[in-house]
Amino acid sequence: MIENVNMERMRPKQLLAAIAKCPVVYVPLAPLEWHGPHLPLNVDAIHATAVCEGVAQIVGGVVYPTTYLGTETRRSRQELKDLGFQGDEHVVGMDFPANSVPSMYLDEGVYGIVVKEIVRLLKRTGFQVIMLMSGHGALNHNRVLMRIAAEESDDQCQVVYRLVFSTSNEQDTGSTPSYDAEKDDDSAAAGVGHASRDETSLAMYLCPDDVDLSELPSMTRTLHYTDWGIVDGNAFVGRPTKGYVVRPDDDPRKATPEHGFEFVSSNIKIIADEVRQLLHR
Ligand SMILES: [Zn+2]
């Protein structure tokens, strides 16, 4: 039988026993967000939750209820140009003008206050390590979490921020990997894209009934970033394709549940190792 790791389903005695065994709590954090017409709004959250639950099953600890909170900010002129826009549009995060529904981004200040309050309550509950586990890649979203981790860590409790994407954890800053011209070649993908092959695959693995690839056009048509709100990781670091279309290797129409399983499993393994190190186990 798989042990329950979800805090909301625990009775007080069970919660205290779980904390005594491993005093770590994982907080999955991601907004409901546009992820193309083919994916549900909770892709980032379902990913963060799966990684938190997977790590808790391996290392121990408790998973706080999935927190559908996140923020975004206005894109700079350069970012807009890299995505194939003119540069003078007002675009917040992945809320591209062609999207049919808006994303649920909180104001950055409000987001920070709410997360800080959750951290305060978790400290009071007796956790010694609080893992803020972000499924959302926005720079300002992650900067807020990094700031809270720094401000709230003390002798009794360590607050740690982590992006749940394996490729981005190489950097302690939590920022999108920066572009290295020396290493530039078409085969090298930079980080995780948005609603592209990786995220579509993880959704096909974690919530297959919620994915509908028939919402995308046939393979004969290229996917323009601006038309679909689907972007490869390279475009986010200033390396868009020539026509501002999704890079073939990152095409969501090439997604498979098997790739999703591998992607999620490797993210679980990397973070489980980090938590073990934190706990010296
Ligand atoms: Zn996402």
Side-chain angles (χ1 to χ4, degrees):
M1 197 185 80
I2 295 177
E3 210 181 326
N4 171 42
V5 292
N6 300 105
M7 185 169 167
E8 70 273 25
R9 290 175 50 209
M10 290 181 180
R11 293 185 297 278
K13 214 173 170 180
Q14 291 174 312
L15 176 58
L16 291 172
I19 295 174
K21 222 164 134 190
C22 180
V24 181
V25 62
Y26 309 88
V27 185
L29 287 150
L32 293 181
E33 183 181 44
W34 171 272
H35 273 81
H38 64 300
L39 292 177
L41 300 172
N42 70 344
V43 170
D44 290 353
I46 209 168
H47 182 204
T49 306
V51 173
C52 290
E53 291 177 350
V55 174
Q57 297 285 358
I58 297 172
V59 189
V62 170
V63 180
Y64 188 77
T66 306
T67 305
Y68 293 101
L69 299 175
T71 187
E72 266 288 5
T73 190
R74 186 178 177 181
R75 292 200 175 274
S76 69
R77 174 172 286 269
Q78 187 57 52
E79 285 176 326
L80 288 169
K81 286 187 167 170
D82 288 340
L83 292 168
F85 289 105
Q86 296 293 321
D88 54 4
E89 297 88 344
H90 186 108
V91 176
V92 172
M94 291 311 300
D95 271 349
F96 291 4
N99 297 359
S100 56
V101 295
S103 302
M104 299 288 139
Y105 301 134
L106 288 187
D107 167 84
E108 186 177 312
V110 174
Y111 168 63
I113 288 168
V114 178
V115 174
K116 215 164 180 172
E117 188 63 0
I118 292 171
V119 167
R120 182 181 73 81
L121 295 170
L122 290 172
K123 279 182 174 177
R124 213 175 56 153
T125 308
F127 292 104
Q128 289 165 25
V129 178
I130 300 174
M131 301 286 298
L132 301 176
M133 304 277 279
S134 175
H136 176 56
L139 291 181
N140 70 319
H141 171 98
N142 291 294
R143 257 185 234 125
V144 170
L145 297 181
M146 230 182 302
R147 170 176 64 78
I148 292 173
E151 288 173 0
E152 293 297 315
S153 288
D154 53 37
D155 292 346
Q156 269 76 50
C157 182
Q158 192 172 356
V159 184
V160 179
Y161 146 77
R162 274 289 165 249
L163 254 182
V164 298
F165 319 144
S166 52
T167 45
S168 305
N169 278 326
E170 291 157 14
Q171 300 225 337
D172 247 348
T173 57
S175 61
T176 319
S178 57
Y179 173 45
D180 183 349
E182 296 276 302
K183 291 186 189 151
D184 189 17
D185 73 88
D186 277 350
S187 62
V192 175
H194 183 81
S196 56
R197 178 170 169 261
D198 286 338
E199 287 196 316
T200 303
S201 294
L202 75 87
M204 287 170 84
Y205 163 53
L206 295 171
C207 54
D209 294 345
D210 299 335
V211 181
D212 186 358
L213 289 180
S214 74
E215 292 282 352
L216 295 171
S218 71
M219 281 303 263
T220 52
R221 273 182 64 194
T222 48
L223 302 174
H224 285 263
Y225 306 142
T226 52
D227 287 348
W228 300 93
I230 301 171
V231 179
D232 49 64
N234 288 32
F236 285 130
V237 293
R239 277 195 284 167
T241 56
K242 270 207 182 81
Y244 303 100
V245 297
V246 177
R247 217 170 141 267
D249 284 354
D250 290 328
D251 196 309
R253 295 166 295 188
K254 291 183 183 163
T256 64
E258 290 76 20
H259 176 64
F261 170 76
E262 279 167 30
F263 185 72
V264 175
S265 304
S266 85
N267 294 338
I268 290 172
K269 196 188 164 304
I270 288 167
I271 295 180
D273 287 346
E274 286 183 7
V275 176
R276 271 201 204 97
Q277 279 183 16
L278 272 176
L279 297 168
H280 310 291
R281 287 185 180 180

